PDB file of all heavy atoms in Angstrom:
ATOM      1  N   THR J   3     107.041  94.197  90.807  1.00 97.00           N
ATOM      2  CA  THR J   3     105.820  94.989  90.651  1.00 97.00           C
ATOM      3  C   THR J   3     104.769  94.196  89.891  1.00 97.00           C
ATOM      4  O   THR J   3     103.584  94.194  90.247  1.00 97.00           O
ATOM      5  CB  THR J   3     106.144  96.288  89.896  1.00 97.00           C
ATOM      6  OG1 THR J   3     107.043  97.071  90.688  1.00 97.00           O
ATOM      7  CG2 THR J   3     104.894  97.096  89.623  1.00 97.00           C
ATOM      8  N   GLU J   4     105.209  93.492  88.843  1.00 97.00           N
ATOM      9  CA  GLU J   4     104.281  92.736  88.014  1.00 97.00           C
ATOM     10  C   GLU J   4     103.636  91.588  88.800  1.00 97.00           C
ATOM     11  O   GLU J   4     102.444  91.307  88.657  1.00 97.00           O
ATOM     12  CB  GLU J   4     104.997  92.195  86.778  1.00 97.00           C
ATOM     13  CG  GLU J   4     105.370  93.265  85.753  1.00 97.00           C
ATOM     14  CD  GLU J   4     106.445  94.229  86.209  1.00 97.00           C
ATOM     15  OE1 GLU J   4     107.305  93.818  87.035  1.00 97.00           O
ATOM     16  OE2 GLU J   4     106.437  95.397  85.771  1.00 97.00           O
ATOM     17  N   LYS J   5     104.406  90.906  89.633  1.00 98.00           N
ATOM     18  CA  LYS J   5     103.837  89.804  90.418  1.00 98.00           C
ATOM     19  C   LYS J   5     102.892  90.323  91.496  1.00 98.00           C
ATOM     20  O   LYS J   5     101.894  89.673  91.817  1.00 98.00           O
ATOM     21  CB  LYS J   5     104.952  88.961  91.031  1.00 98.00           C
ATOM     22  CG  LYS J   5     105.660  88.084  90.006  1.00 98.00           C
ATOM     23  CD  LYS J   5     106.696  87.200  90.664  1.00 98.00           C
ATOM     24  CE  LYS J   5     107.376  86.297  89.640  1.00 98.00           C
ATOM     25  NZ  LYS J   5     108.428  85.454  90.256  1.00 98.00           N
ATOM     26  N   MET J   6     103.201  91.484  92.056  1.00 98.00           N
ATOM     27  CA  MET J   6     102.278  92.071  93.026  1.00 98.00           C
ATOM     28  C   MET J   6     100.948  92.357  92.350  1.00 98.00           C
ATOM     29  O   MET J   6      99.879  92.058  92.906  1.00 98.00           O
ATOM     30  CB  MET J   6     102.889  93.362  93.586  1.00 98.00           C
ATOM     31  CG  MET J   6     102.050  94.038  94.666  1.00 98.00           C
ATOM     32  SD  MET J   6     101.961  93.122  96.216  1.00 98.00           S
ATOM     33  CE  MET J   6     100.245  92.606  96.213  1.00 98.00           C
ATOM     34  N   THR J   7     100.999  92.902  91.165  1.00 97.00           N
ATOM     35  CA  THR J   7      99.776  93.204  90.430  1.00 97.00           C
ATOM     36  C   THR J   7      99.051  91.925  90.025  1.00 97.00           C
ATOM     37  O   THR J   7      97.818  91.852  90.075  1.00 97.00           O
ATOM     38  CB  THR J   7     100.109  94.023  89.170  1.00 97.00           C
ATOM     39  OG1 THR J   7     100.863  95.168  89.546  1.00 97.00           O
ATOM     40  CG2 THR J   7      98.843  94.473  88.455  1.00 97.00           C
ATOM     41  N   ARG J   8      99.816  90.903  89.665  1.00 98.00           N
ATOM     42  CA  ARG J   8      99.215  89.633  89.247  1.00 98.00           C
ATOM     43  C   ARG J   8      98.392  89.008  90.380  1.00 98.00           C
ATOM     44  O   ARG J   8      97.269  88.545  90.145  1.00 98.00           O
ATOM     45  CB  ARG J   8     100.306  88.673  88.795  1.00 98.00           C
ATOM     46  CG  ARG J   8      99.778  87.308  88.357  1.00 98.00           C
ATOM     47  CD  ARG J   8     100.934  86.374  88.009  1.00 98.00           C
ATOM     48  NE  ARG J   8     100.458  84.998  87.829  1.00 98.00           N
ATOM     49  CZ  ARG J   8     101.268  83.932  87.722  1.00 98.00           C
ATOM     50  NH1 ARG J   8     102.577  84.097  87.771  1.00 98.00           N
ATOM     51  NH2 ARG J   8     100.758  82.730  87.579  1.00 98.00           N
ATOM     52  N   ILE J   9      98.931  89.003  91.609  1.00 98.00           N
ATOM     53  CA  ILE J   9      98.192  88.388  92.711  1.00 98.00           C
ATOM     54  C   ILE J   9      96.916  89.168  93.006  1.00 98.00           C
ATOM     55  O   ILE J   9      95.877  88.595  93.336  1.00 98.00           O
ATOM     56  CB  ILE J   9      99.067  88.256  93.977  1.00 98.00           C
ATOM     57  CG1 ILE J   9      98.484  87.211  94.933  1.00 98.00           C
ATOM     58  CG2 ILE J   9      99.219  89.562  94.706  1.00 98.00           C
ATOM     59  CD1 ILE J   9      98.859  85.812  94.663  1.00 98.00           C
ATOM     60  N   LEU J  10      96.985  90.498  92.857  1.00 98.00           N
ATOM     61  CA  LEU J  10      95.783  91.319  93.067  1.00 98.00           C
ATOM     62  C   LEU J  10      94.727  91.012  92.012  1.00 98.00           C
ATOM     63  O   LEU J  10      93.523  91.048  92.301  1.00 98.00           O
ATOM     64  CB  LEU J  10      96.146  92.797  93.036  1.00 98.00           C
ATOM     65  CG  LEU J  10      97.044  93.309  94.165  1.00 98.00           C
ATOM     66  CD1 LEU J  10      97.435  94.762  93.913  1.00 98.00           C
ATOM     67  CD2 LEU J  10      96.376  93.160  95.526  1.00 98.00           C
ATOM     68  N   ASN J  11      95.169  90.701  90.798  1.00 97.00           N
ATOM     69  CA  ASN J  11      94.230  90.378  89.718  1.00 97.00           C
ATOM     70  C   ASN J  11      93.674  88.954  89.852  1.00 97.00           C
ATOM     71  O   ASN J  11      92.503  88.719  89.550  1.00 97.00           O
ATOM     72  CB  ASN J  11      94.911  90.541  88.359  1.00 97.00           C
ATOM     73  CG  ASN J  11      95.178  91.992  88.018  1.00 97.00           C
ATOM     74  OD1 ASN J  11      94.476  92.890  88.502  1.00 97.00           O
ATOM     75  ND2 ASN J  11      96.192  92.242  87.212  1.00 97.00           N
ATOM     76  N   GLU J  12      94.518  88.022  90.283  1.00 98.00           N
ATOM     77  CA  GLU J  12      94.093  86.623  90.368  1.00 98.00           C
ATOM     78  C   GLU J  12      93.207  86.355  91.589  1.00 98.00           C
ATOM     79  O   GLU J  12      92.449  85.383  91.598  1.00 98.00           O
ATOM     80  CB  GLU J  12      95.309  85.698  90.373  1.00 98.00           C
ATOM     81  CG  GLU J  12      96.036  85.664  89.037  1.00 98.00           C
ATOM     82  CD  GLU J  12      97.093  84.569  88.963  1.00 98.00           C
ATOM     83  OE1 GLU J  12      97.194  83.759  89.911  1.00 98.00           O
ATOM     84  OE2 GLU J  12      97.819  84.533  87.952  1.00 98.00           O
ATOM     85  N   ILE J  13      93.335  87.202  92.603  1.00 98.00           N
ATOM     86  CA  ILE J  13      92.464  87.086  93.782  1.00 98.00           C
ATOM     87  C   ILE J  13      91.643  88.371  93.844  1.00 98.00           C
ATOM     88  O   ILE J  13      92.059  89.350  94.461  1.00 98.00           O
ATOM     89  CB  ILE J  13      93.261  86.882  95.072  1.00 98.00           C
ATOM     90  CG1 ILE J  13      94.206  85.680  94.945  1.00 98.00           C
ATOM     91  CG2 ILE J  13      92.320  86.686  96.266  1.00 98.00           C
ATOM     92  CD1 ILE J  13      95.101  85.469  96.143  1.00 98.00           C
ATOM     93  N   PRO J  14      90.505  88.397  93.194  1.00 93.00           N
ATOM     94  CA  PRO J  14      89.733  89.649  93.077  1.00 93.00           C
ATOM     95  C   PRO J  14      88.988  89.991  94.364  1.00 93.00           C
ATOM     96  O   PRO J  14      87.761  90.010  94.416  1.00 93.00           O
ATOM     97  CB  PRO J  14      88.772  89.339  91.928  1.00 93.00           C
ATOM     98  CG  PRO J  14      88.542  87.868  92.024  1.00 93.00           C
ATOM     99  CD  PRO J  14      89.852  87.277  92.487  1.00 93.00           C
ATOM    100  N   SER J  15      89.752  90.243  95.417  1.00 97.00           N
ATOM    101  CA  SER J  15      89.164  90.605  96.710  1.00 97.00           C
ATOM    102  C   SER J  15      89.681  91.966  97.139  1.00 97.00           C
ATOM    103  O   SER J  15      90.903  92.220  97.112  1.00 97.00           O
ATOM    104  CB  SER J  15      89.528  89.570  97.777  1.00 97.00           C
ATOM    105  OG  SER J  15      89.136  89.999  99.060  1.00 97.00           O
ATOM    106  N   SER J  16      88.790  92.824  97.552  1.00 96.00           N
ATOM    107  CA  SER J  16      89.192  94.155  97.997  1.00 96.00           C
ATOM    108  C   SER J  16      89.890  94.118  99.344  1.00 96.00           C
ATOM    109  O   SER J  16      90.377  95.143  99.827  1.00 96.00           O
ATOM    110  CB  SER J  16      87.973  95.080  98.071  1.00 96.00           C
ATOM    111  OG  SER J  16      87.010  94.558  98.965  1.00 96.00           O
ATOM    112  N   THR J  17      89.961  92.931  99.965  1.00 98.00           N
ATOM    113  CA  THR J  17      90.653  92.828 101.255  1.00 98.00           C
ATOM    114  C   THR J  17      92.175  92.777 101.100  1.00 98.00           C
ATOM    115  O   THR J  17      92.890  92.903 102.094  1.00 98.00           O
ATOM    116  CB  THR J  17      90.215  91.569 102.023  1.00 98.00           C
ATOM    117  OG1 THR J  17      90.627  90.406 101.289  1.00 98.00           O
ATOM    118  CG2 THR J  17      88.712  91.547 102.216  1.00 98.00           C
ATOM    119  N   LEU J  18      92.675  92.587  99.893  1.00 98.00           N
ATOM    120  CA  LEU J  18      94.115  92.540  99.677  1.00 98.00           C
ATOM    121  C   LEU J  18      94.649  93.929  99.371  1.00 98.00           C
ATOM    122  O   LEU J  18      94.160  94.619  98.473  1.00 98.00           O
ATOM    123  CB  LEU J  18      94.461  91.601  98.520  1.00 98.00           C
ATOM    124  CG  LEU J  18      94.157  90.118  98.705  1.00 98.00           C
ATOM    125  CD1 LEU J  18      94.647  89.328  97.501  1.00 98.00           C
ATOM    126  CD2 LEU J  18      94.780  89.579  99.984  1.00 98.00           C
ATOM    127  N   GLY J  19      95.647  94.342 100.136  1.00 98.00           N
ATOM    128  CA  GLY J  19      96.297  95.620  99.908  1.00 98.00           C
ATOM    129  C   GLY J  19      97.799  95.424  99.834  1.00 98.00           C
ATOM    130  O   GLY J  19      98.319  94.321 100.052  1.00 98.00           O
ATOM    131  N   VAL J  20      98.515  96.496  99.555  1.00 98.00           N
ATOM    132  CA  VAL J  20      99.966  96.442  99.360  1.00 98.00           C
ATOM    133  C   VAL J  20     100.672  97.172 100.496  1.00 98.00           C
ATOM    134  O   VAL J  20     100.319  98.311 100.830  1.00 98.00           O
ATOM    135  CB  VAL J  20     100.368  97.080  98.026  1.00 98.00           C
ATOM    136  CG1 VAL J  20     101.895  97.008  97.831  1.00 98.00           C
ATOM    137  CG2 VAL J  20      99.651  96.409  96.862  1.00 98.00           C
ATOM    138  N   VAL J  21     101.654  96.515 101.090  1.00 98.00           N
ATOM    139  CA  VAL J  21     102.614  97.173 101.962  1.00 98.00           C
ATOM    140  C   VAL J  21     103.838  97.451 101.095  1.00 98.00           C
ATOM    141  O   VAL J  21     104.560  96.520 100.722  1.00 98.00           O
ATOM    142  CB  VAL J  21     102.988  96.293 103.167  1.00 98.00           C
ATOM    143  CG1 VAL J  21     104.071  96.969 104.001  1.00 98.00           C
ATOM    144  CG2 VAL J  21     101.760  96.015 104.029  1.00 98.00           C
ATOM    145  N   PHE J  22     104.039  98.696 100.759  1.00 98.00           N
ATOM    146  CA  PHE J  22     105.085  99.037  99.781  1.00 98.00           C
ATOM    147  C   PHE J  22     106.363  99.439 100.498  1.00 98.00           C
ATOM    148  O   PHE J  22     106.439 100.495 101.130  1.00 98.00           O
ATOM    149  CB  PHE J  22     104.604 100.164  98.878  1.00 98.00           C
ATOM    150  CG  PHE J  22     105.565 100.515  97.760  1.00 98.00           C
ATOM    151  CD1 PHE J  22     106.404  99.566  97.210  1.00 98.00           C
ATOM    152  CD2 PHE J  22     105.607 101.800  97.238  1.00 98.00           C
ATOM    153  CE1 PHE J  22     107.285  99.884  96.183  1.00 98.00           C
ATOM    154  CE2 PHE J  22     106.468 102.129  96.206  1.00 98.00           C
ATOM    155  CZ  PHE J  22     107.316 101.175  95.682  1.00 98.00           C
ATOM    156  N   ASP J  23     107.360  98.586 100.403  1.00 98.00           N
ATOM    157  CA  ASP J  23     108.711  98.880 100.877  1.00 98.00           C
ATOM    158  C   ASP J  23     109.587  98.973  99.638  1.00 98.00           C
ATOM    159  O   ASP J  23     110.015  97.960  99.088  1.00 98.00           O
ATOM    160  CB  ASP J  23     109.205  97.777 101.808  1.00 98.00           C
ATOM    161  CG  ASP J  23     110.559  98.085 102.421  1.00 98.00           C
ATOM    162  OD1 ASP J  23     111.381  98.732 101.741  1.00 98.00           O
ATOM    163  OD2 ASP J  23     110.796  97.688 103.575  1.00 98.00           O
ATOM    164  N   PRO J  24     109.844 100.175  99.154  1.00 98.00           N
ATOM    165  CA  PRO J  24     110.571 100.307  97.886  1.00 98.00           C
ATOM    166  C   PRO J  24     111.981  99.740  97.928  1.00 98.00           C
ATOM    167  O   PRO J  24     112.468  99.210  96.927  1.00 98.00           O
ATOM    168  CB  PRO J  24     110.583 101.816  97.634  1.00 98.00           C
ATOM    169  CG  PRO J  24     110.353 102.431  98.969  1.00 98.00           C
ATOM    170  CD  PRO J  24     109.480 101.483  99.716  1.00 98.00           C
ATOM    171  N   VAL J  25     112.647  99.819  99.071  1.00 98.00           N
ATOM    172  CA  VAL J  25     114.005  99.281  99.159  1.00 98.00           C
ATOM    173  C   VAL J  25     113.977  97.763  99.072  1.00 98.00           C
ATOM    174  O   VAL J  25     114.842  97.140  98.442  1.00 98.00           O
ATOM    175  CB  VAL J  25     114.696  99.766 100.449  1.00 98.00           C
ATOM    176  CG1 VAL J  25     116.005  99.019 100.690  1.00 98.00           C
ATOM    177  CG2 VAL J  25     114.962 101.264 100.366  1.00 98.00           C
ATOM    178  N   ASN J  26     112.976  97.131  99.682  1.00 98.00           N
ATOM    179  CA  ASN J  26     112.873  95.669  99.599  1.00 98.00           C
ATOM    180  C   ASN J  26     112.543  95.185  98.198  1.00 98.00           C
ATOM    181  O   ASN J  26     112.912  94.075  97.815  1.00 98.00           O
ATOM    182  CB  ASN J  26     111.798  95.157 100.560  1.00 98.00           C
ATOM    183  CG  ASN J  26     112.314  94.975 101.971  1.00 98.00           C
ATOM    184  OD1 ASN J  26     113.485  95.201 102.257  1.00 98.00           O
ATOM    185  ND2 ASN J  26     111.433  94.590 102.875  1.00 98.00           N
ATOM    186  N   LEU J  27     111.826  95.995  97.440  1.00 98.00           N
ATOM    187  CA  LEU J  27     111.386  95.565  96.106  1.00 98.00           C
ATOM    188  C   LEU J  27     112.338  96.014  94.997  1.00 98.00           C
ATOM    189  O   LEU J  27     112.317  95.457  93.904  1.00 98.00           O
ATOM    190  CB  LEU J  27     109.982  96.109  95.829  1.00 98.00           C
ATOM    191  CG  LEU J  27     109.258  95.579  94.590  1.00 98.00           C
ATOM    192  CD1 LEU J  27     109.131  94.060  94.610  1.00 98.00           C
ATOM    193  CD2 LEU J  27     107.876  96.224  94.462  1.00 98.00           C
TER     194      LEU J  27
END
């Protein structure tokens, strides 16, 4: 979860979204 959030913060583009597969994560 933390790394997903980190990439969203380091690349400040609204074009990045999350495909959330809870079992995979």
Side-chain angles (χ1 to χ4, degrees):
T3 296
E4 289 68 29
K5 286 184 178 178
M6 183 69 249
T7 306
R8 179 184 169 191
I9 200 85
L10 294 174
N11 290 334
E12 291 190 6
I13 306 176
S15 172
S16 59
T17 65
L18 295 184
V20 180
V21 176
F22 185 30
D23 185 327
V25 170
N26 276 359
L27 190 57

